[in-house]
Structures are given as structure tokens and as C-alpha cells.
Amino acid sequence: MARRFPTAPSLGLSLLSASLLLACGGGGDTGSAETLTDQTAAGYAANASVVGSDAASALDATLLTATELVSASATTQSAVTGREQAQAITVGPLQCGGGGTASLTVDGATPQAEANGQLDTGEIYAVTFTNCRRAAGAPTLNGVLSMTVGTVTANGATVTITSGTPNPLSVTLPRGSVTFNGSVTVARSVSVNGNNSTVGTQVSSTSLAVTTQFNGRTGNFTLSNVNLTRLANHVSGALQSSSYNGSHTLSAVLPNLSYSYDVATNGGFNANGVPNQGSWVITLPRRTITISINGASATIAVDDGNNGSIDRSFTVPVAQLGSDAG
């Protein structure tokens, strides 16, 4: 049953309650002819604005950490460079720079390539992370992944990462943890100008299951038709800001609610992964929701009927979107 959207003083509490209701499987709208409440529209906006971007951030951190571990393993592997036949090399546990450990097994290339401390085309890595951080304050990685190396260039590489039961890859970010089940291709490149660097990460996947632990809640999502590009700006190695451009389909199946919508994004984030500029467009079967963020405020506009005409709009704090996500 649709309810009137509350007046401004009760907005924050109502949106939070609606988000909790969505997380538990109540309320909501799937793009049917039913009235889409403002609370539900805000819940959709919360997940559209952060779930895909946090997944891309976690995958970028995973590839960077794995690449540095491969480099650190070169000295350990040097004793096997005289082998005449290729065979898997297992190294570890290795100490991660910010704490924790990792071990890796590499196969699929010549003995010299497997031992050179670099990603080489055709190599297949099995990596196990245990509370591994590449540096203090960096994301924490746990679980097991398989990583197949595709193309390698002077400033980056393209790999396919596969994660699943019983020990899926889990990455802890400022907002909470993101756990992956499925396969995703990640292309990472770095350009450096003095102390400044820009890291470009392209993430693509046909279907990737993502479980979030945000704000004390568990969210189970599927990201499909993923084509996201992340640009991250660093100064002396410290993340300053990031931007995301691209699209994906976000689906969720909850006890009493299921939904799926397309998301197009061109948004910017601060160093803690909080959106602070840009726009997101959610396309449902019979309506479109546009989220426009400028600083601390987000304007959510609803087009009922997908006819290009805005039927209503309202504003919420960006912090509210963050607390409603997951």
C-alpha cells in the first residue's frame, strides 16, 4: 500500500526504515504499474550509486595486491629457475605490507616466466589471502581466487578473476565488505606524473554475484552486463578521488521482494568511496529514476511512464544514501 512521503523533519528516519524494510524483503516496487513510493525510489538510488562502484574498487585493490605479491615472490622463486620443464610453483606464506599473509601457486608458463616475479600472458595463479593488506589503511583481503593472465603491457595487465565457494574472495572497504562469486575480467593500467598517478580499471562480467555487508546488513545482489571504468587519482600513493563511467544491471532477490534495473553511471567519489558529484540513471520497465549528486545533496527525480517527463522529485542527504545502501 502506498504511503504519503513524509515531511522533511522525518525524512531521514523514514528512508532508513524503508531501506531496512527492503533489506528484509518487504515493501518495494518492481517497475510495475503500482505506485513507486519515494522511500523505495531512494532505496533503489542508494544501491545503484554504490554497489557497482564498491565492487569495482574492491577488484582494483585485489589485482594491485596480487600483482605486488607476485613481484615479492620473485626472490623466493629464484631457486627454481633452472628447471627444464614447467610445473606449478607454490610460494608462501608471504607477509603482506600492511599485515596478514598470502600464498600463491603459479602454473601455465615456462619455468623462467613463472619465476620472474611478473604477470605473464597465459599464467594461472591460485591466491589465498588471510587478512592481507598491501599497506596500512588499504583494503583487507580474505579468501581464495583463481587469476588467469591475459594481455600484459608496460603499464598494466588484463586478468580474469574467478571466486567462489567454499572460500570466496572478500574485500573490506571503508563502507564494509564485498564478497564475490563468479568470474570477472579486470584490466588495470597506471600512468605516472611525478607524485601524481592515475589508475584506470575496466571491469566487465556477464554475471557476478556480490554479497555486501554494509551498515550491519547483508545484501545479496547480482551484477550483470557489467561494463564499468574506474579512474582513481593518487598523490604519493594515497587515493584522493575516483570517478566511474559505464553501465550494469543490478538485481536482488529477497524473501518477499525481487527487482532488477539497469544503471548508467557517470559519478565521482571522494577518497572514502562516498559519491560527491555526477549522475546515475536507473531504468525500470515502466519508469526511470535519475539521481543527481552535488556535494552533500542528492536529487532523485522519477519519470513514471518512461516518457521523458519528470513527475516528481525530492532531495536527500548523500549520507542518507550511504546509510541505506546494502
Side-chain angles (χ1 to χ4, degrees):
M1 180 178 67
R3 294 181 294 176
R4 180 174 300 175
F5 187 62
T7 56
S10 61
L11 174 61
L13 180 59
S14 295
L15 287 177
L16 179 59
S17 299
S19 174
L20 292 172
L21 185 63
L22 284 171
C24 295
D29 175 84
T30 60
S32 68
E34 300 174 9
T35 299
L36 177 71
T37 67
D38 290 337
Q39 292 97 326
T40 299
Y44 286 171
N47 289 328
S49 62
V50 303
V51 173
S53 61
D54 275 13
S57 296
L59 291 166
D60 176 74
T62 299
L63 180 51
L64 173 59
T65 304
T67 301
E68 292 187 349
L69 288 168
V70 170
S71 178
S73 72
T75 300
T76 306
Q77 295 180 13
S78 61
V80 301
T81 56
R83 290 187 294 112
E84 295 181 358
Q85 295 182 345
Q87 64 185 56
I89 301 172
T90 300
V91 182
L94 299 169
Q95 297 298 316
C96 302
T101 61
S103 61
L104 61 88
T105 298
V106 55
D107 200 355
T110 66
Q112 291 75 22
E114 291 177 0
N116 66 6
Q118 299 177 7
L119 298 180
D120 296 292
T121 299
E123 290 180 329
I124 301 172
Y125 290 86
V127 187
T128 300
F129 300 103
T130 304
N131 295 321
C132 176
R133 276 186 166 184
R134 57 170 294 271
T140 302
L141 280 63
N142 280 284
V144 179
L145 64 82
S146 172
M147 186 172 73
T148 302
V149 183
T151 59
V152 178
T153 66
N155 63 346
T158 299
V159 306
T160 298
I161 293 173
T162 302
S163 165
T165 56
N167 297 305
L169 170 68
S170 181
V171 183
T172 302
L173 302 168
R175 199 186 321 279
S177 66
V178 184
T179 302
F180 299 94
N181 194 326
S183 182
V184 58
T185 299
V186 184
R188 191 176 197 274
S189 62
V190 182
S191 62
V192 179
N193 182 9
N195 290 330
N196 301 319
S197 62
T198 300
V199 178
T201 307
Q202 184 177 25
V203 176
S204 58
S205 177
T206 301
S207 181
L208 182 67
V210 174
T211 299
T212 62
Q213 293 285 346
F214 294 163
N215 309 306
R217 300 188 298 275
T218 300
N220 294 299
F221 303 95
T222 298
L223 298 176
S224 54
N225 306 315
V226 181
N227 184 8
L228 288 174
T229 298
R230 176 181 189 255
L231 291 177
N233 303 308
H234 301 258
V235 175
S236 299
L239 177 65
Q240 305 297 305
S241 63
S242 61
S243 63
Y244 292 80
N245 181 274
S247 60
H248 64 282
T249 299
L250 181 66
S251 305
V253 178
L254 304 172
N256 298 311
L257 170 70
S258 63
Y259 61 78
S260 179
Y261 51 70
D262 296 331
V263 182
T265 179
N266 186 7
F269 296 74
N270 66 18
N272 291 320
V274 177
N276 56 14
Q277 62 177 337
S279 64
W280 291 255
V281 179
I282 298 171
T283 303
L284 291 153
R286 294 181 176 85
R287 51 181 56 91
T288 301
I289 304 170
T290 302
I291 308 102
S292 302
I293 294 179
N294 185 5
S297 297
T299 299
I300 300 173
V302 180
D303 168 11
D304 289 317
N306 284 339
N307 57 13
S309 175
I310 300 302
D311 295 285
R312 66 189 189 278
S313 65
F314 56 96
T315 301
V316 300
V318 169
Q320 188 67 51
L321 293 182
S323 65
D324 280 0

mmCIF file of all heavy atoms in Angstrom, residues 174-205:
data_model
loop_
_atom_site.group_PDB
_atom_site.id
_atom_site.type_symbol
_atom_site.label_atom_id
_atom_site.label_comp_id
_atom_site.label_asym_id
_atom_site.label_seq_id
_atom_site.Cartn_x
_atom_site.Cartn_y
_atom_site.Cartn_z
ATOM 1 N N PRO A 174 36.049 0.955 3.170
ATOM 2 C CA PRO A 174 35.542 1.830 4.231
ATOM 3 C C PRO A 174 34.063 1.616 4.559
ATOM 4 O O PRO A 174 33.659 1.741 5.722
ATOM 5 C CB PRO A 174 35.791 3.236 3.664
ATOM 6 C CG PRO A 174 37.000 3.080 2.807
ATOM 7 C CD PRO A 174 36.840 1.725 2.178
ATOM 8 N N ARG A 175 33.236 1.290 3.555
ATOM 9 C CA ARG A 175 31.803 1.123 3.796
ATOM 10 C C ARG A 175 31.463 -0.227 4.412
ATOM 11 O O ARG A 175 30.438 -0.397 5.052
ATOM 12 C CB ARG A 175 31.038 1.283 2.483
ATOM 13 C CG ARG A 175 29.558 1.573 2.652
ATOM 14 C CD ARG A 175 28.820 1.580 1.310
ATOM 15 N NE ARG A 175 29.596 2.185 0.272
ATOM 16 C CZ ARG A 175 29.709 3.505 0.063
ATOM 17 N NH1 ARG A 175 29.072 4.330 0.849
ATOM 18 N NH2 ARG A 175 30.454 3.971 -0.921
ATOM 19 N N GLY A 176 32.319 -1.244 4.202
ATOM 20 C CA GLY A 176 32.051 -2.593 4.654
ATOM 21 C C GLY A 176 32.669 -3.580 3.688
ATOM 22 O O GLY A 176 33.494 -3.219 2.846
ATOM 23 N N SER A 177 32.254 -4.834 3.757
ATOM 24 C CA SER A 177 32.889 -5.865 2.942
ATOM 25 C C SER A 177 32.053 -6.190 1.705
ATOM 26 O O SER A 177 30.827 -6.071 1.700
ATOM 27 C CB SER A 177 33.116 -7.141 3.750
ATOM 28 O OG SER A 177 31.887 -7.736 4.109
ATOM 29 N N VAL A 178 32.767 -6.610 0.649
ATOM 30 C CA VAL A 178 32.159 -7.049 -0.600
ATOM 31 C C VAL A 178 32.724 -8.429 -0.911
ATOM 32 O O VAL A 178 33.941 -8.606 -0.966
ATOM 33 C CB VAL A 178 32.466 -6.075 -1.758
ATOM 34 C CG1 VAL A 178 31.747 -6.509 -3.021
ATOM 35 C CG2 VAL A 178 32.077 -4.648 -1.391
ATOM 36 N N THR A 179 31.852 -9.409 -1.103
ATOM 37 C CA THR A 179 32.269 -10.785 -1.371
ATOM 38 C C THR A 179 31.774 -11.187 -2.757
ATOM 39 O O THR A 179 30.641 -10.864 -3.136
ATOM 40 C CB THR A 179 31.707 -11.736 -0.306
ATOM 41 O OG1 THR A 179 32.151 -11.310 0.988
ATOM 42 C CG2 THR A 179 32.179 -13.163 -0.547
ATOM 43 N N PHE A 180 32.634 -11.911 -3.499
ATOM 44 C CA PHE A 180 32.359 -12.205 -4.906
ATOM 45 C C PHE A 180 32.182 -13.696 -5.141
ATOM 46 O O PHE A 180 32.884 -14.524 -4.556
ATOM 47 C CB PHE A 180 33.518 -11.716 -5.781
ATOM 48 C CG PHE A 180 33.754 -10.233 -5.706
ATOM 49 C CD1 PHE A 180 34.688 -9.711 -4.827
ATOM 50 C CD2 PHE A 180 33.034 -9.363 -6.505
ATOM 51 C CE1 PHE A 180 34.906 -8.347 -4.747
ATOM 52 C CE2 PHE A 180 33.236 -7.997 -6.440
ATOM 53 C CZ PHE A 180 34.178 -7.486 -5.557
ATOM 54 N N ASN A 181 31.264 -14.024 -6.055
ATOM 55 C CA ASN A 181 31.073 -15.397 -6.508
ATOM 56 C C ASN A 181 30.802 -15.347 -8.006
ATOM 57 O O ASN A 181 29.757 -14.877 -8.443
ATOM 58 C CB ASN A 181 29.903 -16.052 -5.769
ATOM 59 C CG ASN A 181 29.882 -17.556 -5.947
ATOM 60 O OD1 ASN A 181 30.255 -18.065 -6.991
ATOM 61 N ND2 ASN A 181 29.443 -18.256 -4.912
ATOM 62 N N GLY A 182 31.779 -15.814 -8.791
ATOM 63 C CA GLY A 182 31.641 -15.751 -10.233
ATOM 64 C C GLY A 182 32.941 -15.369 -10.892
ATOM 65 O O GLY A 182 34.020 -15.472 -10.303
ATOM 66 N N SER A 183 32.843 -14.920 -12.123
ATOM 67 C CA SER A 183 34.026 -14.598 -12.912
ATOM 68 C C SER A 183 33.916 -13.180 -13.449
ATOM 69 O O SER A 183 32.834 -12.754 -13.886
ATOM 70 C CB SER A 183 34.171 -15.596 -14.066
ATOM 71 O OG SER A 183 35.331 -15.353 -14.816
ATOM 72 N N VAL A 184 35.041 -12.452 -13.449
ATOM 73 C CA VAL A 184 35.057 -11.064 -13.884
ATOM 74 C C VAL A 184 36.409 -10.771 -14.516
ATOM 75 O O VAL A 184 37.444 -11.280 -14.066
ATOM 76 C CB VAL A 184 34.774 -10.110 -12.693
ATOM 77 C CG1 VAL A 184 35.776 -10.304 -11.580
ATOM 78 C CG2 VAL A 184 34.735 -8.657 -13.143
ATOM 79 N N THR A 185 36.407 -9.976 -15.566
ATOM 80 C CA THR A 185 37.658 -9.558 -16.209
ATOM 81 C C THR A 185 37.995 -8.147 -15.765
ATOM 82 O O THR A 185 37.144 -7.252 -15.801
ATOM 83 C CB THR A 185 37.528 -9.616 -17.739
ATOM 84 O OG1 THR A 185 37.259 -10.965 -18.131
ATOM 85 C CG2 THR A 185 38.820 -9.158 -18.409
ATOM 86 N N VAL A 186 39.240 -7.966 -15.329
ATOM 87 C CA VAL A 186 39.701 -6.686 -14.800
ATOM 88 C C VAL A 186 40.932 -6.251 -15.582
ATOM 89 O O VAL A 186 41.927 -6.989 -15.652
ATOM 90 C CB VAL A 186 40.047 -6.781 -13.294
ATOM 91 C CG1 VAL A 186 40.432 -5.419 -12.742
ATOM 92 C CG2 VAL A 186 38.872 -7.362 -12.513
ATOM 93 N N ALA A 187 40.865 -5.090 -16.189
ATOM 94 C CA ALA A 187 42.012 -4.516 -16.898
ATOM 95 C C ALA A 187 42.481 -3.297 -16.126
ATOM 96 O O ALA A 187 41.700 -2.380 -15.867
ATOM 97 C CB ALA A 187 41.628 -4.121 -18.319
ATOM 98 N N ARG A 188 43.766 -3.282 -15.757
ATOM 99 C CA ARG A 188 44.307 -2.206 -14.911
ATOM 100 C C ARG A 188 45.523 -1.585 -15.585
ATOM 101 O O ARG A 188 46.406 -2.285 -16.067
ATOM 102 C CB ARG A 188 44.708 -2.761 -13.537
ATOM 103 C CG ARG A 188 45.025 -1.712 -12.496
ATOM 104 C CD ARG A 188 45.305 -2.380 -11.138
ATOM 105 N NE ARG A 188 45.220 -1.430 -10.048
ATOM 106 C CZ ARG A 188 46.228 -0.655 -9.642
ATOM 107 N NH1 ARG A 188 47.407 -0.741 -10.249
ATOM 108 N NH2 ARG A 188 46.076 0.192 -8.648
ATOM 109 N N SER A 189 45.566 -0.250 -15.620
ATOM 110 C CA SER A 189 46.723 0.452 -16.177
ATOM 111 C C SER A 189 47.028 1.660 -15.305
ATOM 112 O O SER A 189 46.138 2.233 -14.664
ATOM 113 C CB SER A 189 46.454 0.905 -17.621
ATOM 114 O OG SER A 189 45.371 1.812 -17.652
ATOM 115 N N VAL A 190 48.296 2.061 -15.285
ATOM 116 C CA VAL A 190 48.745 3.151 -14.424
ATOM 117 C C VAL A 190 49.550 4.146 -15.252
ATOM 118 O O VAL A 190 50.437 3.751 -16.019
ATOM 119 C CB VAL A 190 49.624 2.624 -13.264
ATOM 120 C CG1 VAL A 190 50.048 3.763 -12.347
ATOM 121 C CG2 VAL A 190 48.884 1.541 -12.476
ATOM 122 N N SER A 191 49.236 5.425 -15.096
ATOM 123 C CA SER A 191 50.058 6.488 -15.683
ATOM 124 C C SER A 191 50.572 7.360 -14.551
ATOM 125 O O SER A 191 49.825 7.685 -13.617
ATOM 126 C CB SER A 191 49.247 7.324 -16.682
ATOM 127 O OG SER A 191 48.167 7.966 -16.043
ATOM 128 N N VAL A 192 51.857 7.730 -14.617
ATOM 129 C CA VAL A 192 52.517 8.443 -13.526
ATOM 130 C C VAL A 192 53.057 9.769 -14.023
ATOM 131 O O VAL A 192 53.651 9.852 -15.103
ATOM 132 C CB VAL A 192 53.666 7.588 -12.935
ATOM 133 C CG1 VAL A 192 54.370 8.333 -11.808
ATOM 134 C CG2 VAL A 192 53.127 6.253 -12.429
ATOM 135 N N ASN A 193 52.841 10.814 -13.216
ATOM 136 C CA ASN A 193 53.380 12.141 -13.492
ATOM 137 C C ASN A 193 53.909 12.703 -12.187
ATOM 138 O O ASN A 193 53.171 13.303 -11.408
ATOM 139 C CB ASN A 193 52.306 13.051 -14.090
ATOM 140 C CG ASN A 193 52.848 14.428 -14.447
ATOM 141 O OD1 ASN A 193 54.058 14.672 -14.406
ATOM 142 N ND2 ASN A 193 51.954 15.341 -14.790
ATOM 143 N N GLY A 194 55.195 12.499 -11.917
ATOM 144 C CA GLY A 194 55.774 12.921 -10.648
ATOM 145 C C GLY A 194 55.175 12.147 -9.498
ATOM 146 O O GLY A 194 55.156 10.902 -9.513
ATOM 147 N N ASN A 195 54.639 12.856 -8.497
ATOM 148 C CA ASN A 195 53.998 12.198 -7.360
ATOM 149 C C ASN A 195 52.542 11.846 -7.643
ATOM 150 O O ASN A 195 51.887 11.204 -6.813
ATOM 151 C CB ASN A 195 54.055 13.101 -6.124
ATOM 152 C CG ASN A 195 55.465 13.246 -5.575
ATOM 153 O OD1 ASN A 195 56.279 12.332 -5.699
ATOM 154 N ND2 ASN A 195 55.762 14.389 -4.973
ATOM 155 N N ASN A 196 52.056 12.274 -8.778
ATOM 156 C CA ASN A 196 50.659 12.020 -9.127
ATOM 157 C C ASN A 196 50.552 10.792 -10.033
ATOM 158 O O ASN A 196 51.382 10.593 -10.917
ATOM 159 C CB ASN A 196 50.046 13.225 -9.845
ATOM 160 C CG ASN A 196 50.093 14.482 -9.004
ATOM 161 O OD1 ASN A 196 49.856 14.436 -7.800
ATOM 162 N ND2 ASN A 196 50.403 15.602 -9.634
ATOM 163 N N SER A 197 49.536 10.025 -9.803
ATOM 164 C CA SER A 197 49.295 8.870 -10.659
ATOM 165 C C SER A 197 47.799 8.691 -10.866
ATOM 166 O O SER A 197 46.991 9.034 -9.999
ATOM 167 C CB SER A 197 49.886 7.587 -10.056
ATOM 168 O OG SER A 197 49.281 7.286 -8.813
ATOM 169 N N THR A 198 47.462 8.190 -12.030
ATOM 170 C CA THR A 198 46.069 7.879 -12.357
ATOM 171 C C THR A 198 45.981 6.402 -12.701
ATOM 172 O O THR A 198 46.723 5.911 -13.551
ATOM 173 C CB THR A 198 45.574 8.719 -13.546
ATOM 174 O OG1 THR A 198 45.675 10.105 -13.220
ATOM 175 C CG2 THR A 198 44.126 8.385 -13.872
ATOM 176 N N VAL A 199 45.095 5.716 -12.007
ATOM 177 C CA VAL A 199 44.903 4.284 -12.227
ATOM 178 C C VAL A 199 43.566 4.088 -12.928
ATOM 179 O O VAL A 199 42.517 4.504 -12.421
ATOM 180 C CB VAL A 199 44.922 3.505 -10.904
ATOM 181 C CG1 VAL A 199 44.666 2.011 -11.166
ATOM 182 C CG2 VAL A 199 46.247 3.703 -10.186
ATOM 183 N N GLY A 200 43.619 3.468 -14.101
ATOM 184 C CA GLY A 200 42.401 3.149 -14.835
ATOM 185 C C GLY A 200 42.074 1.671 -14.692
ATOM 186 O O GLY A 200 42.947 0.822 -14.906
ATOM 187 N N THR A 201 40.854 1.371 -14.311
ATOM 188 C CA THR A 201 40.427 -0.016 -14.144
ATOM 189 C C THR A 201 39.120 -0.229 -14.885
ATOM 190 O O THR A 201 38.140 0.478 -14.633
ATOM 191 C CB THR A 201 40.211 -0.368 -12.659
ATOM 192 O OG1 THR A 201 41.378 -0.035 -11.913
ATOM 193 C CG2 THR A 201 39.912 -1.845 -12.493
ATOM 194 N N GLN A 202 39.125 -1.175 -15.809
ATOM 195 C CA GLN A 202 37.887 -1.530 -16.501
ATOM 196 C C GLN A 202 37.431 -2.890 -16.006
ATOM 197 O O GLN A 202 38.210 -3.858 -15.979
ATOM 198 C CB GLN A 202 38.064 -1.560 -18.011
ATOM 199 C CG GLN A 202 36.755 -1.840 -18.741
ATOM 200 C CD GLN A 202 36.889 -1.812 -20.253
ATOM 201 O OE1 GLN A 202 37.969 -2.045 -20.776
ATOM 202 N NE2 GLN A 202 35.798 -1.538 -20.951
ATOM 203 N N VAL A 203 36.176 -2.975 -15.602
ATOM 204 C CA VAL A 203 35.597 -4.196 -15.054
ATOM 205 C C VAL A 203 34.474 -4.651 -15.968
ATOM 206 O O VAL A 203 33.570 -3.871 -16.303
ATOM 207 C CB VAL A 203 35.061 -3.948 -13.630
ATOM 208 C CG1 VAL A 203 34.376 -5.195 -13.091
ATOM 209 C CG2 VAL A 203 36.188 -3.519 -12.700
ATOM 210 N N SER A 204 34.522 -5.912 -16.379
ATOM 211 C CA SER A 204 33.461 -6.445 -17.229
ATOM 212 C C SER A 204 33.116 -7.862 -16.781
ATOM 213 O O SER A 204 33.989 -8.641 -16.393
ATOM 214 C CB SER A 204 33.879 -6.443 -18.707
ATOM 215 O OG SER A 204 35.059 -7.194 -18.906
ATOM 216 N N SER A 205 31.825 -8.175 -16.821
ATOM 217 C CA SER A 205 31.367 -9.505 -16.427
ATOM 218 C C SER A 205 29.974 -9.737 -16.983
ATOM 219 O O SER A 205 29.145 -8.820 -17.033
ATOM 220 C CB SER A 205 31.340 -9.647 -14.904
ATOM 221 O OG SER A 205 30.830 -10.910 -14.514
#
